[in-house]
Amino acid sequence: MTAPRTRSHRLVALPLGMAMATALAFLPNVTASAAEAAEAATTATTATTATTADATSLSYIVNVATGQGPSTTVKKAIVDAGGTIVISYDRIGVIVVHSSNPDFARTIRKVPGVQSAGATRNAPLAAQSTTEVGATRMLSAKEVASAQSAEGQDPLEPSQWDLPAIKADKAHEKTLGSRDVTVAVIDTGVDDTHPDLAPNFDREASVNCASGKPNTADGAWRPGASEGAAHGTHVAGEIAAAKNGIGMTGVAPGVQVAGIKVSDPEGYIYTEAVVCGFVWAAEHHVDVTNSSYYTDPWNFNCLDDPDQRALVDATTRASQYAERKGTVNVAAAGNESRDLDADSLTDPASPNDGTPGDRVIDPHKCLVLPPQLPGVVTVAATGAKGIKSSFSNYGLHVIDVAAPGGDSSLYQPPAAPAIDGRILGTMPGGKWAYTMGTSMASPHVAGVAALIKSTHPHATAGQVKALLYSQADATPCTDPYDIDSDGEIDAVCKGSKYHNGFYGRGIVNALNAVTK
């Protein structure tokens, strides 16, 4: 029986709820919604999946030596164990297999040449995990129409307290970023018909990876109608909403943004999809990826479990392959207010596609994917007062940097003219909304990384990360941290001003990114 899924444990955003004006009012020649445009692509995806899996099949990851495809022995063993190879990512030695044999993983792990193998899910195929919190507040048509801004600003920019918080408004006076730079949103899909996204959308770098195999049908990257479908579009707007006199402004409004859809129709984001997403980014010259989710079904993947270890192996290989190709990978830390550097934690939600139960884990040996993968930039969230958001995960030697992710206005109200402590972003159908979460913090960092790459076009991924860290505004621990002012300490920050568990190396600085 599938257990109830809690979005706050998966998508790293906290929505707030306000209805928004349709964007088609700004695009008189557009007659179909993104959902309608994506319907054919969704059908194509479903058809592809149906040809590779039976209704009772599970999906598996099989890891072999990198740089080569599966040997004849491994291929035969997969078939003999009742498996069908869906795709083999030979350069990283990761094979996606479907099988209805419940003993497939145990059997294949004994085969010479197989380094690890495990099921990516508990529910049968065709059975989300983003990091947003709370309810989304959509902007009404009246709010959009009545928005007033200063000369040179987009209409909704005065509501974006998060831009001056990282000096992005000042950075835009220098440059908006380079169109030679692409940021890929690995997420629930991106509505490229949105008037704030259409000018900057990179179709060639966009794809649907939900099945673990790239689906390049036109529009396959667009969100469907499932839970969390708006998440990727919101993230994309935070990164690269165009400075075009319409709606809002992104952190890097001059760069391009691509959509790599990894969520299935029920909203789950499984390992094979994430592997596909990183490999696609690596091979399509993507400069930065943003991952505002955790990989289902395990909130924490423990290295002493053979199935979970195989998932860690595969996603590590894929993300590091992307980095070797020049891609900076950025990910949200999560929204459970957990200390990821603690001696132990209780994970109550895994597996979220099966029967979850409380399990006590060591977060140094049980990892959240992808934020705790080696080399990935792990991002904590801050609110309008510049301190750790009430929901944000933290941890010394886990958090790399922090950025605005919003918070309840009861805890961190923004200064006027902004009226909402959450983060404004684009929504499918040409709308805008406020939401919050580490899902919203991570794209701010991805945007700043894109500005660094724009300023230093020949910088390697490692060099971009080094600049990101060195240019951040060092922020000391908030001590004591009593976010709700009830007299009780809500979290304990460890470390120095220059490297601590709440803010890592500090809060990112977009102005430094374009001037240093």
Side-chain angles (χ1 to χ4, degrees):
M1 178 178 183
T2 301
R5 290 173 285 145
T6 304
R7 171 176 299 188
S8 63
H9 291 298
R10 294 159 47 222
L11 291 170
V12 197
L14 298 157
L16 301 173
M18 167 198 230
M20 301 170 70
T22 175
L24 298 184
F26 298 107
L27 295 175
N29 295 325
V30 178
T31 58
S33 69
E36 291 169 336
E39 185 174 350
T42 301
T43 301
T45 302
T46 303
T48 300
T49 302
T51 63
T52 56
D54 298 324
T56 57
S57 291
L58 291 182
S59 184
Y60 295 85
I61 288 292
V62 178
N63 298 312
V64 296
T66 59
Q68 62 186 51
S71 66
T72 302
T73 300
V74 171
K75 287 181 180 178
K76 182 177 185 303
I78 288 172
V79 173
D80 290 346
T84 300
I85 295 176
V86 176
I87 189 169
S88 178
Y89 294 102
D90 294 348
R91 294 188 179 183
I92 59 172
V94 176
I95 311 164
V96 179
V97 178
H98 289 168
S99 177
S100 58
N101 176 9
D103 291 323
F104 176 81
R106 285 190 293 271
T107 301
I108 209 70
R109 280 195 287 263
K110 300 174 183 177
V111 174
V114 173
Q115 297 178 352
S116 61
T120 69
R121 63 190 73 197
N122 291 278
L125 285 173
Q128 159 165 329
S129 9
T130 54
T131 43
E132 66 188 65
V133 184
T136 296
R137 186 171 80 85
M138 302 290 289
L139 292 177
S140 67
K142 181 178 180 180
E143 287 176 298
V144 174
S146 63
Q148 296 185 357
S149 58
E151 184 178 354
Q153 288 187 323
D154 281 339
L156 298 176
E157 192 172 340
S159 299
Q160 295 181 261
W161 60 263
D162 49 308
L163 295 184
I166 59 170
K167 300 181 177 64
D169 55 337
K170 298 299 183 184
H172 297 165
E173 296 175 5
K174 304 290 184 180
T175 179
L176 303 180
S178 170
R179 289 195 64 79
D180 292 332
V181 173
T182 294
V183 181
V185 177
I186 302 178
D187 212 294
T188 62
V190 174
D191 177 6
D192 57 300
T193 70
H194 194 291
D196 261 343
L197 298 177
N200 291 339
F201 194 74
D202 186 341
R203 299 171 73 92
E204 295 301 316
S206 298
V207 72
N208 187 323
C209 270
S211 71
K213 182 177 182 178
N215 173 5
T216 57
D218 187 61
W221 56 77
R222 294 181 184 136
S226 63
E227 175 197 358
H231 188 268
T233 301
H234 194 285
V235 166
E238 291 179 61
I239 295 169
K243 200 170 183 66
N244 57 359
I246 298 173
M248 61 174 288
T249 302
V251 173
V255 308
Q256 294 195 78
V257 65
I260 298 179
K261 184 176 180 179
V262 289
S263 62
D264 72 11
E266 292 195 354
Y268 288 107
I269 297 174
Y270 287 116
T271 299
E272 61 268 30
V274 175
V275 168
C276 172
F278 281 129
V279 172
W280 177 271
E283 297 181 347
H284 288 79
H285 312 294
V286 167
D287 299 285
V288 183
T289 67
N290 184 85
S291 295
S292 291
Y293 58 88
Y294 80 70
T295 305
D296 296 308
W298 305 98
N299 193 176
F300 292 88
N301 293 263
C302 296
L303 299 177
D304 60 359
D305 179 284
D307 283 287
Q308 294 165 42
R309 184 182 184 92
L311 309 188
V312 175
D313 288 346
T315 49
T316 298
R317 294 180 185 199
S319 65
Q320 292 189 329
Y321 176 58
E323 183 165 348
R324 290 195 300 273
K325 286 284 191 175
T327 305
V328 176
N329 300 309
V330 181
N335 300 331
E336 296 80 28
S337 304
R338 287 173 171 153
D339 181 357
L340 297 177
D341 188 42
D343 292 335
S344 65
L345 291 172
T346 298
D347 174 14
S350 300
N352 63 8
D353 65 349
T355 304
D358 286 353
R359 58 174 185 158
V360 177
I361 60 95
D362 179 349
H364 303 93
K365 300 177 181 178
C366 299
L367 309 179
V368 183
L369 309 179
Q372 288 185 275
L373 291 174
V376 171
V377 179
T378 307
V379 182
T382 56
K385 295 299 183 184
I387 65 174
K388 187 187 87 70
S389 302
S390 56
F391 51 80
S392 181
N393 287 348
Y394 57 100
L396 186 60
H397 306 301
V398 177
I399 302 302
D400 292 309
V401 287
D407 206 347
S408 168
S409 293
L410 294 174
Y411 301 151
Q412 300 194 60
I419 60 172
D420 200 303
R422 294 166 292 188
I423 305 296
L424 189 66
T426 47
M427 298 289 274
K431 301 177 182 180
W432 295 264
Y434 290 106
T435 191
M436 62 185 179
T438 54
S439 274
M440 283 58 257
S442 183
H444 284 78
V445 176
V448 172
L451 292 177
I452 293 173
K453 185 67 175 179
S454 298
T455 306
H456 304 279
H458 302 296
T460 65
Q463 289 169 334
V464 171
K465 289 195 295 181
L467 288 170
L468 184 71
Y469 301 155
S470 66
Q471 294 174 359
D473 292 329
T475 305
C477 283
T478 304
D479 185 22
Y481 181 80
D482 178 13
I483 192 68
D484 54 5
S485 302
D486 65 354
E488 295 186 5
I489 302 302
D490 297 307
V492 175
C493 178
K494 299 176 183 178
S496 70
K497 174 181 178 179
Y498 300 97
H499 187 199
N500 60 63
F502 277 14
Y503 311 108
R505 276 81 164 185
I507 297 173
V508 293
N509 186 312
L511 181 58
N512 286 346
V514 301
T515 57
K516 294 186 177 181

